[in-house]
Amino acid sequence: MSDTPNKEDELAGTEQPFVQHLMELRDRLVKAMLAVGVVAGLLFLYPGPGQLYDLLAAPLVTHLPQGATMIATSVISPFMVPLKILLMAAFMIALPVVLWQVWAFIAPGLYSHEKRLVLPLVVSSTVLFFIGVAFCYFFVFGQVFSFIQGFAPKSITAAPDIEAYLSFVMTMFLAFGLAFEVPIAVVVLARLGVVSVEKLKNFRGYFIVAAFVIAAIVTPPDVVSQLALAIPMCLLYEVGIWAAQIFIRHTRAPEDTQETTT
């Protein structure tokens, strides 16, 4: 039985000096910042910072009493808050370009099986984060604001501060965006061998309890938002278990594949 020759290292001869790595990193960062800057400039021209804030505030404004508006308690809030939203929107729109620059920087140093591992995770985690933000904006906000305004006494007029609203929105976006990353976390833990798929299945009951505890801490103290966060987390946990089994099978290193077939 003859020994098979060792396969040549895929990365042999691709090493670069440290200074060249720094220069490439600088170029990638500049390109990413330019992409964000170009998108920000376009958004400033159309639809404009004020219109972007109106779009972000629409779920709340539609549930305010007739004639009520949001207020600004700081002198510079009417300028700074829409500008912050403009930059946030520009970064999210330019995120595919930013992630492509990150991928182009790290990809040359990865083996083919590692590329099959990293690239799908980067793409899917970005898509899931956007889905979480969209779910929060289009579904959760309307239900939460309607529920809260239903409890408001008739003797008061609701006039939320625009900075407080921005802080609330950012917290909710981050909470739902990260909550929708549950499948990615499950896949990574299983793929790195930190925990097996069978243990993830056995941990299902504990995760359901943890999801409701996290939802109660992160979201406002209303049942609607807590259920809207906890239930998708539980469902996405099941999706993560299913995806982990497929992902592990298709991202093994060549030597691991040979060991399982012999």
Side-chain angles (χ1 to χ4, degrees):
M1 181 176 177
S2 59
D3 296 334
T4 57
N6 294 329
K7 185 179 180 180
E8 185 179 353
D9 194 331
E10 298 176 17
L11 303 181
T14 62
E15 298 83 0
Q16 295 180 356
F18 180 71
V19 176
Q20 190 170 351
H21 277 294
L22 290 179
M23 293 177 62
E24 183 180 0
L25 177 61
R26 179 202 61 188
D27 295 339
R28 298 293 180 187
L29 290 175
V30 169
K31 292 178 181 179
M33 293 175 62
L34 282 176
V36 175
V38 170
V39 175
L42 294 175
L43 291 177
F44 187 85
L45 295 175
Y46 181 82
Q51 287 72 15
L52 285 175
Y53 187 87
D54 291 341
L55 180 64
L56 187 66
L60 175 60
V61 173
T62 55
H63 291 89
L64 290 178
Q66 187 175 5
T69 61
M70 303 181 70
I71 62 173
T73 57
S74 175
V75 176
I76 62 173
S77 292
F79 170 76
M80 291 300 299
V81 173
L83 186 61
K84 291 177 182 178
I85 294 174
L86 173 71
L87 295 176
M88 179 186 70
F91 178 77
M92 294 186 69
I93 294 175
L95 188 59
V97 178
V98 175
L99 293 177
W100 174 256
Q101 296 301 325
V102 174
W103 172 252
F105 179 73
I106 66 173
L110 300 177
Y111 291 100
S112 58
H113 70 278
E114 293 174 334
K115 292 179 182 179
R116 293 197 300 270
L117 171 66
V118 176
L119 183 57
L121 290 179
V122 171
V123 175
S124 57
S125 61
T126 305
V127 172
L128 285 173
F129 186 86
F130 282 144
I131 293 176
V133 171
F135 177 77
C136 181
Y137 178 82
F138 289 105
F139 175 75
V140 177
F141 279 171
Q143 303 298 323
V144 170
F145 296 146
S146 176
F147 180 84
I148 293 175
Q149 292 301 319
F151 277 85
K154 301 297 182 182
S155 57
I156 67 170
T157 300
D161 177 63
I162 59 174
E163 287 196 57
Y165 179 71
L166 176 61
S167 177
F168 171 80
V169 166
M170 293 298 296
T171 301
M172 292 290 285
F173 279 172
L174 186 61
F176 277 84
L178 293 179
F180 274 63
E181 299 292 330
V182 168
I184 305 300
V186 172
V187 169
V188 170
L189 290 175
R191 179 61 183 83
L192 295 179
V194 177
V195 61
S196 65
V197 175
E198 290 301 321
K199 288 185 178 179
L200 287 171
K201 294 179 179 178
N202 296 333
F203 188 73
R204 182 182 290 115
Y206 298 99
F207 182 84
I208 293 175
V209 175
F212 278 90
V213 172
I214 293 172
I217 296 174
V218 173
T219 60
D222 65 278
V223 178
V224 176
S225 59
Q226 292 175 8
L227 291 177
L229 181 62
I231 293 177
M233 287 180 66
C234 297
L235 296 177
L236 290 169
Y237 184 79
E238 297 297 328
V239 173
I241 294 177
W242 170 78
Q245 301 177 52
I246 299 176
F247 201 75
I248 292 173
R249 191 181 312 124
H250 290 85
T251 58
R252 288 196 180 106
E255 57 271 16
D256 295 338
T257 306
Q258 292 177 2
E259 291 177 2
T260 57
T261 56
T262 56

